[in-house]
Amino acid sequence: MTRRRTGRTQAWAELLRVSALFSVPGDALAGAAAAGVRPGRGTLCAIGASLCLYEAGMALNDWADRAEDAAERPHRPLPSGRIAPSTALAASAALTAAGLALASRAGRPPLAVATALAATVWAYDLGLKHTPAGPGTMATARALDLLLGATASTSRNVGPHRRAVHALPSAVLLGAHTYAVTAVSRHETQGGSTRTPLAALAVTLAVAGAASGEALGTRPDTTTVASPSGPPAPAPAPHPTLPSSRPLPSAWPLPSRRLRPSRLPASSGRPNPSRGLGPLLALAYARTPATLLLHAALNPSAALTERAVGGGIRATIPLQAALAARAGAPGTALALLGLVPAARALARKVSPT
């Protein structure tokens, strides 16, 4: 009985690609940082929604590809018979509903973004995956996930749309990275492509260069907050960052106020604690998939291509950290970087691809 239960748990872990889950929370946290606010209840709702929608996409992907996997990957949970196709489809529908329900807890704008994200995921898995629009669709899904975090984190503030729009550059960079990884993944079962890994390597270096700079727009002011009239008032205390990758209880004590973003001119002389951290994290991001992509280009075998795809998925975490540092949130960036060892350790047991 214990062995059967362990085997079923392993089958679901493979179906849902649980080792890739560590790349999901950073979307919402990077979105909140890019919007110029600290993580709050809305951010936690966005993280929960993102996790559900991501896993819904994983289950739906295997359901849609069950015939192809039977020929190319017979060891996968569905073609091997360890999980019934109808069960995988039902799990995908239930996870999608749960994700939308969690997004609705953060307000109507986050629900609208989550609905668009869910529609993009289902469209990709059910029809667009094997078309030229596939990589662009997956890139759109990742970008929407970051915008979900930005929208959910600002939905209770004044002018949420104006604040959330500051997350667009970060969403574009995350989407570009996702586009490159998805393009390479289209060759992971058969290999044979040299040009695609080289193009992905060029995109990775370009994204790293853009992520190493300071974000345009706004970032939290760590000194004073301008008052409508009279002298400047003291700024609120620095916000706490999420301490670890462990799930947070629903009663997690969160502050009721969020920092107001304040435009800081380049000549203000105020130190930016993320100025040196951003380039280091961007370098860590580029280093993760660069060698694997180069190997896949020089020897375009299926095995090396699959390794390059796995490296690209793991590189999402340091990229999210670099984007948070770029937006002036070093605490969030370092917290995200702490997820990398756990993701690497779990990837040795369950493949993220």
Side-chain angles (χ1 to χ4, degrees), residues 12-328:
W12 279 101
E14 293 177 16
L15 177 72
L16 300 177
R17 318 303 204 276
V18 294
S19 61
L21 277 180
F22 291 99
S23 71
V24 178
D27 289 348
L29 293 172
V37 296
R38 58 188 175 185
R41 293 186 182 276
T43 312
L44 293 179
C45 290
I47 291 175
S50 297
L51 290 170
C52 289
L53 294 177
Y54 188 89
E55 293 292 46
M58 293 295 104
L60 184 63
N61 175 80
D62 278 25
W63 180 85
D65 289 349
R66 61 192 184 280
E68 178 182 334
D69 287 343
E72 298 179 351
R73 296 177 174 180
H75 61 279
R76 294 290 302 157
L78 267 60
S80 66
R82 290 178 290 161
I83 296 178
S86 58
T87 303
L89 182 60
S92 179
L95 286 166
T96 300
L100 295 178
L102 285 169
S104 69
R105 297 291 299 273
R108 291 183 179 179
L111 176 59
V113 177
T115 302
L117 173 57
T120 302
V121 169
W122 279 71
Y124 174 84
D125 285 333
L126 296 182
L128 299 178
K129 178 180 180 180
H130 299 294
T131 71
T137 305
M138 183 58 69
T140 300
R142 269 290 184 177
L144 284 172
D145 201 29
L146 188 145
L147 293 177
L148 172 60
T151 306
S153 301
T154 60
S155 61
R156 304 301 184 187
N157 293 334
V158 178
H161 303 295
R162 292 184 59 187
R163 293 190 178 190
V165 77
H166 291 301
L168 284 174
S170 293
V172 169
L173 292 178
L174 184 61
H177 166 74
T178 305
Y179 187 101
V181 174
T182 306
V184 176
S185 72
R186 293 159 76 93
H187 304 277
E188 66 179 325
T189 57
Q190 297 178 347
S193 174
T194 297
R195 182 169 54 185
T196 303
L198 286 178
L201 178 59
V203 171
T204 297
L205 296 178
V207 170
S212 64
E214 186 172 337
L216 300 176
T218 63
R219 68 178 177 87
D221 189 350
T222 57
T223 53
T224 59
V225 177
S227 178
S229 61
H239 66 276
T241 58
L242 298 179
S244 70
S245 60
R246 290 176 294 181
L248 300 179
S250 59
W252 182 266
L254 293 169
S256 59
R257 294 187 58 193
R258 294 173 173 83
L259 292 179
R260 292 185 177 182
S262 173
R263 295 188 179 275
L264 299 179
S267 59
S268 64
R270 295 172 182 171
N272 180 359
S274 303
R275 189 176 299 277
L277 182 61
L280 289 176
L281 292 175
L283 179 62
Y285 152 69
R287 180 180 177 274
T288 302
T291 303
L292 297 175
L293 287 171
L294 186 58
H295 287 170
L298 295 176
N299 180 11
S301 64
L304 290 180
T305 302
E306 186 175 359
R307 287 184 60 191
V309 173
I313 294 174
R314 293 193 302 273
T316 304
I317 301 175
L319 174 58
Q320 294 161 341
L323 294 176
R326 176 177 179 264

